[in-house]
Amino acid sequence: MDDQTRMLAGLGGLGGLSQADVGDPDSVRKQQSLGQPQQDIGDILQQIMAITDESLDEAQARKHALNCHRMKPALFSVLCEIKEKTVLSIRGVQEEDPPDPQIMRLDNMLLAEGVSGPEKGGGSAAAAAAAAAAGGSPNDGSIEHSDYRAKLAQIRQIYHAELEKYEQACSEFTNHVMNLLREQSRTRPISPKEIERMVAIIHRKFSSIQMQLKQSTCEAVMILRSRFLDARRKRRNFNKQATEVLNEYFYSHLSNPYPSEEAKEELAKKCGITVSQVSNWFGNKRIRYKKNIGKFQEEANLYAVKTAVDAANASAQASQANSPATPNSGGYPAPCYTPDGRL
DNA sequence: GTGAATGATTGCAT
DNA sequence: ATGCAATCATTCAC
């Protein structure tokens, strides 16, 4: 009520805006002096009440006159200001929204997965990282890799299409509401700030829809990724050449088949596999060899011969008769073979 | 379909 | 952290 009083008082105080000024030519009612606010209010209230008794045409005419009045913009601005100070200020306090951590998380994830960021790099980088984490060999990964990328691109496409749709709907709706409010602002006090706030509310509503989209996109990516990783878990045998390289090292270091970190890296590079795969291979090989030496005898002899021949060739080329690097003291039992290669 | 081979994983010991 | 041993899960040859 205080506000209303102030508002009406303010109205009265606005350069002595009288009923006649507002457009009632035959009215005998006059705006009272500034020194009598009580009387002013009573008078104005009476005027308002009188409107209900008027005919529709009269009211229309009065409205039209009011709209045309030279003081109308000033009057509206005052009303807007009052409205701003009272109703809007109460609601407006908590409207400054801080960045939502949930949406930030989703944004970060979509960016990291290459869904929301620039087209190239992200997705394949994530796939490569996934491949590396799974320890898959690079030569067999290409099919699944491209499959992963294709699926990710599909998700990306859907995501962007939906996002665009929402953004378009949002801007259309915002325009509609803004036009509506601008239209209404001719007949009731609506400040630009109020329109701005309304737009912010609309944007918030739409961004909550966008968050749902982001959430479901993230879920889709996670599912795709877990499927991809599961697929990577599928074992692929190493190629023949890689097995040969590993066996060569194993049997030529039978006394101490424990490659150093550097040797593992070297072998991994040669075989096109990861260091941990080399470690796995040697772990498996050692235990399986130890468990059943007899079974590996033939293989051991084969590689021993190969090593001996290679060494012989090397020494022949270097004209130096150094023996091959197969010291065998205290290690795994060596296979039986003659130095010339006969079993 | 079956069994052997083989890469990966897990739990434990050092 | 590394290696061993057992085991799992998949591939491959038959």
Side-chain angles (χ1 to χ4, degrees), chain A residues 88-163:
Chain A
L88 294 175
S89 62
I90 296 161
R91 282 188 308 199
V93 177
Q94 73 275 27
E95 275 179 10
E96 305 308 320
D97 49 340
D100 187 359
Q102 168 77 358
I103 208 154
M104 272 171 72
R105 265 201 303 277
L106 291 172
D107 279 339
N108 285 342
M109 187 188 156
L110 289 171
L111 203 67
E113 292 295 333
V115 176
S116 62
E119 176 77 56
K120 75 175 195 72
S124 55
S137 64
N139 47 352
D140 67 293
S142 57
I143 298 162
E144 285 160 333
H145 186 265
S146 65
D147 198 33
Y148 177 88
R149 278 206 298 188
K151 292 254 162 60
L152 192 72
Q154 213 175 327
I155 290 172
R156 193 187 152 91
Q157 196 188 338
I158 293 166
Y159 170 77
H160 280 107
E162 288 293 308
L163 203 67

Side-chain angles (χ1 to χ4, degrees), chain A residues 2 62 68 106 130 141 153 168 186 241 245 283 293 296 328:
Chain A
D2 265 2
R62 188 189 286 270
C68 297
L106 291 172
Q168 203 181 329
R186 280 164 43 187
Q241 192 222 329
V245 169
I293 295 166
F296 288 93
N328 196 31

Side-chain angles (χ1 to χ4, degrees), chain A residues 46-113:
Chain A
Q46 216 170 354
Q47 286 175 38
I48 291 165
M49 293 307 287
I51 291 170
T52 54
D53 297 331
E54 289 171 355
S55 72
L56 216 59
D57 285 345
E58 276 177 318
Q60 282 294 333
R62 188 189 286 270
K63 191 179 135 193
H64 178 71
L66 183 68
N67 277 336
C68 297
H69 195 272
R70 66 188 162 83
M71 293 304 286
K72 191 219 164 188
L75 171 68
F76 258 54
S77 78
V78 169
L79 286 170
C80 286
E81 204 177 306
I82 290 162
K83 200 173 169 188
E84 188 75 39
K85 277 182 186 157
T86 54
V87 188
L88 294 175
S89 62
I90 296 161
R91 282 188 308 199
V93 177
Q94 73 275 27
E95 275 179 10
E96 305 308 320
D97 49 340
D100 187 359
Q102 168 77 358
I103 208 154
M104 272 171 72
R105 265 201 303 277
L106 291 172
D107 279 339
N108 285 342
M109 187 188 156
L110 289 171
L111 203 67
E113 292 295 333

Side-chain angles (χ1 to χ4, degrees), chain A residues 245-246 249 258-279 282:
Chain A
V245 169
L246 294 167
Y249 187 97
Y258 297 89
S260 64
E261 201 56 37
E262 291 78 40
K264 279 181 191 172
E265 277 171 21
E266 178 83 24
L267 286 166
K269 210 191 249 178
K270 266 190 192 170
C271 301
I273 57 178
T274 65
V275 172
S276 63
Q277 280 179 305
V278 173
S279 298
F282 273 89

